[in-house]
Amino acid sequence: FFWNFYVIHAQMKRSHHTYFLKLINNFPPRSSLCCHSSVVCRFQSSYYYNRLVSNFSTTRTVKGNSISLGRSEKVLTHADNTGNAKMIDISEKKTTRRVAVAASRVSLGATAFELILKNKLEKGDVLAVAKIAGINAAKQTHLLIPLCHSIMLSGIDVQLLLNQERHAVDIRVTVRTNGQTGVEMEALVGASVSSLAVYDMCKGVSKGITIDYTRLEEKTGGANGTYSRSA
């Protein structure tokens, strides 16, 4: 396995060859890598693989083009230097006021839209149910998204507007906190589940309902400052 691995990586850029050869010379003899325990073999494979790749810049291929991500560029903060998932330590971050706004749109079609408009759906008041669903979901974000922190939220505002031109429900969720991390995910989860609740309430009328998008509209606070989609 390892000798095949060496041959494959011998095609890496010339600038990496010198370091690559040094690593090979430091590896144990091929015979010492053979073992009867698959657990030990996997451990050794992981150990030497991480030693090999941790000192190279990450290279990704997108539509046939290689993109090199140097160490000075932004990286995914929920992964350590070996690629394993981790929860970010926010203990040193400053407590600031943070606000995030997310939006979803649910395209219903004419029939379902008219029933919502007249509040005549068999399941009841679609907008009231979807609003409560969005609020509950935002509060439970840390249970749904594994690496999110449990945050004390100051306020959650869910607005559902009927868009007659598009026969759609436009959902806007605003989440606020005074804390050490942002509430973008809380707003996005609230908007997502609110839109799913609209679908659930109306699916008996039409199976062609579409959730067109769920997206962050704006956020304020934190080290990264302010973001606005409309800016």
Side-chain angles (χ1 to χ4, degrees):
F1 169 81
F2 280 100
W3 297 108
N4 291 335
F5 183 78
Y6 301 156
V7 171
I8 293 171
H9 280 75
Q11 299 173 8
M12 297 176 74
K13 293 187 294 186
R14 291 183 179 178
S15 60
H16 292 158
H17 284 177
T18 302
Y19 183 79
F20 176 72
L21 293 174
K22 288 181 180 179
L23 278 178
I24 292 177
N25 292 332
N26 290 329
F27 281 176
R30 184 178 181 179
S31 58
S32 68
L33 295 177
C34 298
C35 58
H36 297 290
S37 169
S38 61
V39 174
V40 175
C41 285
R42 284 198 300 271
F43 172 78
Q44 289 178 330
S45 299
S46 175
Y47 172 74
Y48 290 112
Y49 175 80
N50 288 336
R51 282 193 62 192
L52 180 65
V53 301
S54 63
N55 287 278
F56 293 101
S57 60
T58 303
T59 301
R60 302 279 177 86
T61 300
V62 180
K63 294 183 179 180
N65 298 320
S66 292
I67 301 175
S68 180
L69 303 177
R71 291 188 171 188
S72 62
E73 299 178 33
K74 289 186 176 181
V75 296
L76 295 175
T77 56
H78 281 299
D80 61 21
N81 58 6
T82 63
N84 294 315
K86 69 172 184 178
M87 192 169 186
I88 299 171
D89 183 357
I90 61 172
S91 58
E92 300 299 321
K93 289 188 174 183
K94 293 182 179 180
T95 297
T96 61
R97 177 173 170 77
R98 300 166 185 264
V99 181
V101 180
S104 286
R105 172 172 288 166
V106 186
S107 294
L108 301 161
T111 302
F113 183 85
E114 287 299 321
L115 289 172
I116 291 179
L117 186 62
K118 297 174 182 178
N119 196 18
K120 289 187 176 181
L121 273 163
E122 184 178 354
K123 283 191 173 183
D125 190 338
V126 174
L127 303 184
V129 171
K131 181 173 185 176
I132 297 302
I135 293 172
N136 281 341
K139 293 190 293 184
Q140 300 299 320
T141 298
H142 67 286
L143 299 178
L144 300 171
I145 310 298
L147 300 181
C148 276
H149 295 82
S150 177
I151 302 174
M152 180 67 72
L153 303 180
S154 318
I156 305 169
D157 181 30
V158 179
Q159 296 178 324
L160 295 100
L161 303 175
L162 294 177
N163 187 330
Q164 192 154 13
E165 180 182 355
R166 296 180 178 272
H167 292 147
V169 177
D170 290 336
I171 302 166
R172 189 175 178 89
V173 177
T174 304
V175 180
R176 303 176 183 85
T177 190
N178 291 306
Q180 294 169 294
T181 188
V183 286
E184 295 98 311
M185 291 309 303
E186 283 71 17
L188 286 164
V189 168
S192 298
V193 174
S194 185
S195 64
L196 288 170
V198 172
Y199 183 96
D200 177 64
M201 295 289 287
C202 302
K203 68 181 187 292
V205 175
S206 172
K207 296 296 190 294
I209 297 169
T210 302
I211 299 174
D212 294 336
Y213 59 77
T214 299
R215 65 194 189 193
L216 181 68
E217 294 293 336
E218 57 188 75
K219 57 86 63 179
T220 59
N224 293 325
T226 299
Y227 164 82
S228 177
R229 181 174 294 273
S230 60

